[in-house]
Amino acid sequence: MGSTCSLQLPGSHVALGPASEQNENKRQTVDKYLYHMRLSDETLLEVSQRFEKEMEKGLGADTNPTASVKMLPTFVRSTPDGTEDGDFLALDLGGTNFRVLRVKVSDNGLRKVEMENQIYAIPEELMRGSGVQLFDHIAECLANFLDKLQIKDKKLPLGFTFSFPCHQTKLDEVGEGLSSPSGFHTNLSSEGSVPPDLTRAVTQCLSFPSSVPAHPVPLLGPGTGTNACYMEEMRHIDLVEGDEGRMCINMEWGAFGDDGVLNDIRTEFDREIDMGSLNPGKQLFEKMISGMYMGELVRLILVKMAKDGLLFGGRLTPDLLTTGHFETRFVSAIEKEKEGLQKAHEILSKLGLEPSHEDCVATLRICQIVSTRSATLCGATLAAVLRRLRDNKGGDRLRSTVGVDGSVYKKHPHFARRLHKTVRKLLPDCEIRFIRSEDGSGKGAAMVTAVAYRLAAQHQARQKILEPLKLSHEQLLEVKERMRIEMEKGLGKETHAEATVKMLPTYVCSTPDGTEKGDFLALDLGGTNFRVLLVRVRNGMRRGVEMHNKIYSIPVEIMQGTGEELFDHIVHCISDFLEYMGMKGVSLPLGFTFSFPCQQNNLDEGILLKWTKGFKATGCEGEDVVGLLKEAIHRREEFDLDVVAVVNDTVGTMMTCGYEDPYCEVGLIVGTGSNACYMEEMRNVELVEGDEGRMCVNMEWGAFGDSGCLDDIRTEFDVAVDELSLNPGKQRYEKMISGMYLGEIVRNILMDFTKKGLLFRGRISERLKTRGIFETKFLSQIESDCLALLQVRSILQHLGLESTCDDSIIVKEVCTVVARRAAQLCGAGMAAVSLSLSLPCSFSTVLQETVKELSPKCEVTFLQSEDGSGKGAALITAVACRIREAGQR
């Protein structure tokens, strides 16, 4: 990788007085000498791209073992939202000193955080001793701190900043150390994990300032060491089960290059630093950029240039030759704008040298080159992290905040500016904001603990609200039994009037036998759309059904106008269809799917009992809908039709599947509304004379519960939806399970969550207040297993709901709970009618599982109906015509 210089180094035009020409020559000499440390924009982009590949390796289950950048899951799943509150303790272990902090977080609108802390030394013998000795010392320090503040009796949540590479399995648990920390030789791995009695919330939190917005990239360093973490999508983290939400990844990026990927930009000075370190061959990237090694790099360069006769007249001193005697803080001091050269002279003099003015200029230039390389390399890897965040969100731009901690970033006069400039140069289309962390390692640990407590409390509150929607096996068995009792009432002559499940005879007494043939018209009225179909039924070798149809809308003013207007509109649609098909003047048998509760006295007669699904056309209830249709046909005087059968869509569904499977004798609809039908023995149908054979019974089970028998499992959300519906107190079972109402149940739950501060940060949008905004199709999409949270957020944004990743997870859980309850209740109802039959329906596996669980002795097969309401009406008509013709013969 080439490293031709195109990067202008800050401070290269300092006024140096009368000897400026010699000074410029000296700078040029240093520039040539350190040519390979001056990285071009192209080189930095290449480093950034290499780092991105290393991130991928660290996240992959197969590639992680050999990855140098370990990408360790931290089990931190959320960032602060400003509502955290309470008293917390924090332990901060990351160097030779150890801190204990008490952090008070108050949610008073100001996001106030107050801290008290005490620093304790860790003796070298403990750093190099056993794990037991080290953690006993930490526990003693903690006890001392609690005594001092007189809070030993309080049981406060504790966060532990443990700034060494760890394998985490939970938020409050770490496994064996991955490598020995610099300067530490404590045997942690032989002790197992960090003692759990000491750590309630161990975290790799590197920096979580409370003011950081919802999508931060917390970055630590460089300080003594360097590292970074960021919020990664769970679907990309192979090391942790689950695909939903995000988790903070502790990158351990100091080890970048340990596999040799940076060898082409490492210099002889980097190799010398590494060979003299406590961990040769490890943490190579950290040794190129962090505060622990920056001063030492400058010292090695000074020594080499002096040996080559380019500095100090070739003279060396014992102090200059001693490792660690040129500290990183000297680099910061020398690079200060006004006093840098004077500081260089003082520092070099203290090292026993007699520096000339040119020597001071050269030393300043060396410091600039070393610190600039550190800042730009740090910026290149950070740019890779931000690029990944942008790609995760699926956009071309990114707005994000980087929380930064570390002594070099905070104290070096130019480091932060150089870092920011590099990031913006590599990501010109992204808007990146940098925030300096206020005590990230101590306050940060407390904030992670506070977030964990907030999330736990909110989760508990949400589960308490959702609990009534989660039905037990015993409750479902009880629903099944109550449905069975209501069915018997509906079938009985004396109890029928008081029954909520009406069990209406349909006068459909036979299912298809395969000999049906002919052309039939079908009408399908069951919602806001109305269909007219031409169905051609063929038998013999060409057995099958061919369909042509056209969909017409029914305006709300007609749905809720007069019956005459409604049926005139229907006949107008039939006329248009016949003209469209070129069949005007042809008289065909017609089947009428009329998906509303009707009392049938014959196959071609249906008395409308009550409107449902938003219909309110006057002059229809109590009337024969076939008669209303015929009157409208006669008013138009264009054509005549032979209305053979009026059927419910549920019956049509059963007949459609019966054409494919002769054993199909039960029908189930779960759509805008819900209903079921089945073939009942005539001896049990007391409303119709005769005991021979069987008849399909239209259950009209949507009204199950109207008597109050389901009140013990109805929730406040069911009640709210019912009260604001067009028919309060009616169709209660249907309102718990059907598509017309599930979205509204979800919306009411989301409203309740938001009012209680458990969702959308407590901000209720006007859209969320709008009835009907959350359509059931959105519920189905969100609840889908294959839908990623990014798509869930997109759906919520379409609804005008600005959501975080956590919000999306919560919404998805609500959708799942509501849909699961609907399926279970539907399954309980189906279990009440199930025998050894084939059941046509289109619903989730939960329904099938519930039926199997509640009716273990019944072998039930589910067959999905293909256009039951239209095709089914035509098949019933075809069966009726077949039977009628056979009777005539």
Side-chain angles (χ1 to χ4, degrees), residues 581-650:
M581 294 299 297
M583 298 183 70
K584 258 202 170 163
V586 179
S587 182
L588 294 176
L590 181 142
F592 187 8
T593 298
F594 190 74
S595 304
F596 302 95
C598 283
Q599 177 187 326
Q600 284 191 255
N601 300 317
N602 280 300
L603 185 60
D604 61 354
E605 179 186 323
I607 309 299
L608 176 63
L609 298 178
K610 59 183 175 182
W611 283 120
T612 57
K613 305 174 192 176
F615 278 76
K616 278 192 170 181
T618 59
C620 297
E621 291 182 356
E623 298 294 327
D624 175 17
V625 294
V626 174
L628 294 174
L629 177 63
K630 285 180 176 178
E631 287 171 13
I633 292 172
H634 293 152
R635 278 196 298 274
R636 193 166 183 91
E637 295 181 345
E638 281 187 16
F639 54 86
D640 198 15
L641 295 172
D642 177 17
V643 183
V644 174
V646 59
V647 298
N648 184 276
D649 56 349
T650 317

Side-chain angles (χ1 to χ4, degrees), residues 206-207 217-221 226-229 253 378 382 402-405 419:
L206 303 178
S207 173
V217 182
L219 165 71
L220 177 66
T226 181
N227 197 7
C229 65
W253 77 1
C378 194
L382 178 57
V402 181
V404 195
D405 201 355
L419 170 67

Side-chain angles (χ1 to χ4, degrees), residues 41-56:
D41 290 348
E42 292 77 13
T43 300
L44 292 171
L45 179 60
E46 176 67 21
V47 169
S48 187
Q49 290 167 345
R50 291 180 189 181
F51 186 72
E52 205 165 356
K53 290 177 182 174
E54 290 298 312
M55 290 169 66
E56 283 283 353

Side-chain angles (χ1 to χ4, degrees), residues 692-850:
E692 296 295 321
R694 297 184 305 163
M695 181 181 287
C696 181
V697 170
N698 167 23
M699 296 178 67
E700 288 299 337
W701 77 358
F704 177 41
D706 289 3
S707 62
C709 67
L710 293 180
D711 284 359
D712 56 334
I713 62 167
R714 290 175 78 223
T715 66
E716 59 183 292
F717 310 111
D718 297 308
V719 172
V721 168
D722 178 40
E723 286 177 348
L724 292 174
S725 68
L726 289 169
N727 54 348
K730 305 294 183 184
Q731 302 295 106
R732 290 182 175 181
Y733 184 59
E734 182 173 79
K735 288 170 185 172
M736 296 169 81
I737 67 175
S738 77
M740 187 172 222
Y741 304 97
L742 293 186
E744 191 61 11
I745 292 173
V746 169
R747 188 188 70 84
N748 275 272
I749 295 171
L750 301 185
M751 281 276 290
D752 190 56
F753 278 7
T754 309
K755 285 176 183 175
K756 292 173 179 173
L758 306 175
L759 185 65
F760 302 136
R761 302 194 179 191
R763 299 168 191 158
I764 298 180
S765 68
E766 288 304 314
R767 293 292 295 277
L768 190 58
K769 293 177 185 176
T770 307
R771 285 184 64 232
I773 190 69
F774 204 99
E775 297 175 43
T776 297
K777 70 174 182 179
F778 296 133
L779 180 148
S780 300
Q781 290 168 358
I782 289 170
E783 206 249 336
S784 168
D785 287 337
C786 61
L787 200 64
L789 285 179
L790 201 62
Q791 292 163 289
V792 174
R793 289 184 69 184
S794 176
I795 292 169
L796 294 176
Q797 283 169 358
H798 174 73
L799 294 172
L801 303 171
E802 287 300 321
S803 66
T804 65
C805 185
D806 292 337
D807 290 335
S808 299
I809 295 172
I810 294 164
V811 171
K812 189 165 185 177
E813 182 189 12
V814 172
C815 290
T816 300
V817 168
V818 170
R820 182 175 180 82
R821 184 190 70 154
Q824 287 178 320
L825 284 172
C826 193
M830 190 49 58
V833 297
S834 66
L835 299 167
S836 298
L837 300 171
S838 173
L839 306 184
C841 70
S842 171
F843 207 39
S844 74
T845 53
V846 178
L847 182 149
Q848 299 178 44
E849 290 167 1
T850 306

